Amino acid sequence: MLKKLFTLRNTALIAFGLSGMSALIYEVAWSRLLSLIFGSTVYAVATMLCAFMAGLALGSYLMGRRVDKLKDLAKYFGLLELGIGIYGIMFIILLPYVQFPYFWLYQLLHSYFWPFLFAQFLFYFLILLIPTTMMGAIFPVVSKIFTRDLKKIGEDISYVYSANSLGSVLGPFLAGFILIPLIGLTKTVMVAATINILLALIMFRFSTFRSEIKFLLPIVLIFLVLGFYTSLPPILLNSWFMGTYESWDQVQDELSAIKPIFYKEGPYSTVVVAQTETGLGLKSDGHGEASTFPDDMRHQLIQAYIPMLLHHSPEKVLNIGMGAGFTLGAIGNFDVQKMDAIEIDPIIVDVSSKYFSEFNNDILKDPRVEVFVIDGRNYLLTTKEKYDVIISAPSHPVSTGVSHLFTKEFFELVKEHLNKDGMFLQWIPGHRFSPEEHKILVNTFNSVFPNISLWIDDIKALNENPNRSVETFLLGSFEPIEIDREQIKNKMASKEIIKKNLGGMGINSAEDFLFLMVMGDLQVQSFVQNEKRFNTDDKPIIEFLAPRSLLTMKFITLNDLYLF
């Protein structure tokens, strides 16, 4: 009975479905792992997908020209699966060594956007060429095995295609919802590799190659042990930071000075907490989300103090993009009744409490705080809450999963959740934004809020170096914001922690604080009068422009704001 059921034909069909499942597990895991080096911009993600599909097409084409001449198809099916599995293991071992050639490529071409993208595609293609070509080559082999006669070729091919497609549905589900959350990215790749190797051994049982299995097993076991006991270094050189280095020696010196104290691969991102000479840093998929570095602490705190000092009596505050909790901790210094915080990654919530409580006033233990592990936009779509102050400081919009928190539609959604006298502060990553992107985002914000002002995070910057990049903040409201110097002065002096935080930034008076406001409403209108573009859900311009700025390293400066 079993022999009739598990014929070569039926076994090949089931194996092809499982092969499709492992292929999509690879696609999900490899995308995440490669993003640690190549970044997660819309261009990087599209390039990865193009390279993956190009390999499948090439493999299917090459094998299609030869498959009718092959005699022992089960053997070739097994060899292809074995090759994919071994490459999956080698991918984990060799990935850290991709950093050097990519750094060289970046140094050579980063000033030329389109040539760089084409070179990046070729780089991706070379990395994925071997496994994806073998994946593509399996389709003609299985089609040949499963096809019984020419009269039913359409029906037979439909079964083959359906089996592989079903596996391709299961693969991303298993990777995203089960494997990566439970065992991490590297072990997820190893699960896929193990599936390929087991399929190879099964197919060899139907071939003339079965007598050689006993010689293959020790080699296969060695590769599996190597793979399962190999772990990636927590810190990889990400494309975000390549432009800050002049040589590979400088890169190695910098990376060797970073001491990781926490590393976890989760369903949303790979989170690292690392100690450096400057302080403690939190990274998500290679991008710095928060740190105790002086420059970062300044903008993480000031984005809370701007609306909290200006609003006469905020009672309910929402912080979108909690990160390490520094902004939330600064909000907690005021006598508010309720603080809601949004953070999409539960791992970041955990490390915020475990590693950064000393710096965020242990804010997550404050009974006024409620943390929602959800996307910020989804939260606003599903809640009826209204707030006196909303502060949005998510990750950089260059990442494909973040740009929707910088669009006109998002700003309109925030506006619906503000009380009549409410204020909304939006962080703009000026240190990674060009003047063009900055102006588009200001214009987008201006199209939603009747009254806005633009602020910076450092009052010393203008005197010290007006050509340096700065963090900027947009403050929007329904009514013109009344500047009450006496209120600001009293709030600054109300608690020692507030006085200490602001004093550490050189802000010792209401006048010092107000010096951070670069533009009022009239100046903003003049600033954007010639800008006609908006960043919207339908046309997210910023998501496509921001990667170019990261390559050219031409970011907005104080002079761009003061001398417009």
Side-chain angles (χ1 to χ4, degrees):
M1 179 69 179
L2 286 176
K3 283 188 176 182
K4 289 183 179 180
L5 181 62
F6 291 106
T7 60
L8 171 60
R9 186 169 178 267
N10 291 340
T11 303
L13 186 68
I14 296 169
F16 192 44
L18 293 172
S19 181
M21 182 180 75
S22 71
L24 268 292
I25 291 174
Y26 282 131
E27 204 276 333
V28 172
W30 286 347
S31 295
R32 281 279 305 276
L33 288 167
L34 288 171
S35 73
L36 297 176
I37 297 174
F38 293 88
S40 54
T41 69
V42 64
Y43 298 107
V45 173
T47 302
M48 160 74 181
L49 188 58
C50 286
F52 196 92
M53 299 306 293
L56 295 180
L58 178 64
S60 189
Y61 169 75
L62 293 176
M63 181 56 77
R65 298 185 63 183
R66 293 182 54 84
V67 69
D68 291 327
K69 301 175 184 178
L70 301 179
K71 300 297 182 184
D72 191 351
L73 292 171
K75 180 181 78 172
Y76 287 99
F77 189 178
L79 288 173
L80 289 169
E81 290 290 349
L82 182 63
I84 296 167
I86 290 175
Y87 187 90
I89 298 168
M90 295 304 297
F91 180 92
I92 297 298
I93 297 170
L94 297 176
L95 182 62
Y97 300 98
V98 171
Q99 297 176 100
F100 172 69
Y102 188 63
F103 176 77
W104 175 81
L105 178 69
Y106 182 94
Q107 293 292 318
L108 186 67
L109 293 174
H110 73 91
S111 298
Y112 310 98
F113 183 68
W114 292 110
F116 176 80
L117 278 189
F118 181 69
Q120 189 181 57
F121 167 76
L122 292 178
F123 202 99
Y124 264 122
F125 185 67
L126 288 174
I127 293 172
L128 301 177
L129 174 63
I130 295 173
T132 55
T133 300
M134 288 190 288
M135 290 173 190
I138 292 173
F139 181 69
V141 172
V142 176
S143 298
K144 183 74 173 177
I145 293 172
F146 195 76
T147 301
R148 290 169 293 188
D149 59 66
L150 291 177
K151 292 181 180 180
K152 291 191 174 183
I153 189 170
E155 180 183 346
D156 290 342
I157 294 299
S158 72
Y159 290 140
V160 171
Y161 191 80
S162 295
N164 189 253
S165 297
L166 179 60
S168 299
V169 171
L170 292 174
F173 175 81
L174 286 173
F177 290 92
I178 299 174
L179 295 175
I180 294 175
L182 288 179
I183 60 176
L185 288 165
T186 53
K187 296 300 183 287
T188 294
V189 172
M190 285 306 304
V191 167
T194 302
I195 292 171
N196 292 128
I197 291 170
L198 289 175
L199 292 177
L201 296 176
I202 290 170
M203 295 315 301
F204 287 150
R205 296 289 298 173
F206 290 92
S207 74
T208 57
F209 206 64
R210 58 181 174 270
S211 58
E212 280 81 7
I213 292 178
K214 59 185 177 182
F215 300 108
L216 275 176
L217 279 175
I219 300 172
V220 168
L221 287 173
I222 290 171
F223 271 101
L224 286 173
V225 170
L226 273 174
F228 274 107
Y229 281 92
T230 296
S231 58
L232 287 174
I235 304 295
L236 294 172
L237 177 61
N238 190 275
S239 62
W240 287 87
F241 306 106
M242 287 189 180
T244 60
Y245 301 105
E246 295 180 359
S247 68
W248 184 247
D249 288 338
Q250 187 182 358
V251 171
Q252 290 181 308
D253 290 342
E254 183 84 11
L255 294 182
S256 64
I258 300 174
K259 308 298 180 187
I261 58 176
F262 175 86
Y263 176 86
K264 188 170 183 179
E265 299 162 345
Y268 293 99
S269 64
T270 299
V271 178
V272 177
V273 178
Q275 183 71 54
T276 70
E277 294 178 359
T278 314
L280 197 62
L282 169 64
K283 287 190 175 186
S284 171
D285 281 343
H287 174 241
E289 298 293 347
S291 80
T292 61
F293 307 164
D295 285 351
D296 285 344
M297 284 299 291
R298 185 174 58 245
H299 92 255
Q300 289 160 169
L301 295 177
I302 203 64
Q303 64 194 12
Y305 283 118
I306 290 171
M308 297 304 290
L309 290 174
L310 291 173
H311 196 287
H312 56 89
S313 57
E315 295 181 354
K316 291 176 64 178
V317 181
L318 175 65
N319 178 200
I320 300 173
M322 186 190 79
F326 302 131
T327 301
L328 191 64
I331 296 168
N333 293 332
F334 294 85
D335 296 326
V336 299
Q337 295 179 6
K338 181 174 173 56
M339 294 177 283
D340 290 338
I342 308 299
E343 177 54 58
I344 194 170
D345 196 332
I347 300 175
I348 290 180
V349 176
D350 291 340
V351 300
S352 171
S353 178
K354 185 174 181 180
Y355 295 99
F356 295 95
S357 58
E358 175 187 350
F359 308 98
N360 62 25
N361 304 330
D362 210 3
I363 191 63
L364 295 188
K365 291 184 179 178
D366 192 313
R368 298 173 296 169
V369 171
E370 186 171 3
V371 178
F372 297 89
V373 181
I374 189 175
D375 172 73
R377 192 152 169 173
N378 286 340
Y379 172 78
L380 292 174
L381 285 168
T382 55
T383 186
K384 295 181 180 179
E385 293 278 1
K386 289 203 171 187
Y387 297 90
D388 299 307
V389 170
I390 298 177
I391 299 167
S392 181
S395 191
H396 196 296
V398 72
S399 298
T400 54
V402 182
S403 61
H404 67 296
L405 297 178
F406 290 83
T407 64
K408 182 177 181 178
E409 290 80 1
F410 172 69
F411 297 151
E412 289 171 340
L413 188 58
V414 169
K415 186 179 175 183
E416 293 174 9
H417 290 273
L418 278 178
N419 288 322
K420 188 176 180 180
D421 60 348
M423 299 179 186
F424 171 49
L425 183 132
Q426 174 67 55
W427 165 70
I428 304 179
H431 70 296
R432 289 289 186 269
F433 255 27
S434 71
E436 179 185 12
E437 295 147 33
H438 188 271
K439 188 169 286 190
I440 291 171
L441 200 55
V442 173
N443 191 46
T444 304
F445 195 90
N446 183 56
S447 70
V448 175
F449 288 92
N451 296 276
I452 72 171
S453 53
L454 191 147
W455 300 66
I456 59 173
D457 69 331
D458 188 1
I459 65 172
K460 302 174 184 176
L462 185 60
N463 293 327
E464 292 178 354
N465 182 10
N467 288 313
R468 56 160 281 192
S469 61
V470 290
E471 303 295 329
T472 59
F473 310 93
L474 291 169
L475 186 66
S477 61
F478 292 104
E479 303 292 337
I481 296 173
E482 182 181 346
I483 303 297
D484 187 337
R485 284 176 168 78
E486 193 63 27
Q487 171 189 295
I488 295 170
K489 178 183 175 182
N490 291 337
K491 284 191 175 187
M492 288 176 64
S494 63
K495 290 184 180 179
E496 190 61 33
I497 184 66
I498 297 176
K499 190 176 179 181
K500 180 181 177 182
N501 282 346
L502 293 171
M505 295 182 272
I507 301 171
N508 299 299
S509 66
E511 287 69 27
D512 288 342
F513 170 71
L514 293 173
F515 192 75
L516 297 174
M517 187 173 72
V518 177
M519 299 181 197
D521 192 65
L522 291 177
Q523 289 87 356
V524 170
Q525 307 309 318
S526 178
F527 180 66
V528 299
Q529 63 180 343
N530 296 320
E531 180 57 67
K532 306 302 179 185
R533 293 169 294 177
F534 303 106
N535 191 50
T536 65
D537 289 347
D538 183 56
K539 195 173 182 181
I541 306 171
I542 298 299
E543 187 175 351
F544 291 89
L545 290 178
R548 303 187 186 198
S549 301
L550 289 177
L551 289 176
T552 60
M553 301 291 288
K554 295 178 181 177
F555 305 129
I556 191 166
T557 68
L558 275 172
N559 276 337
D560 293 316
L561 300 176
Y562 278 103
L563 304 177
F564 72 90

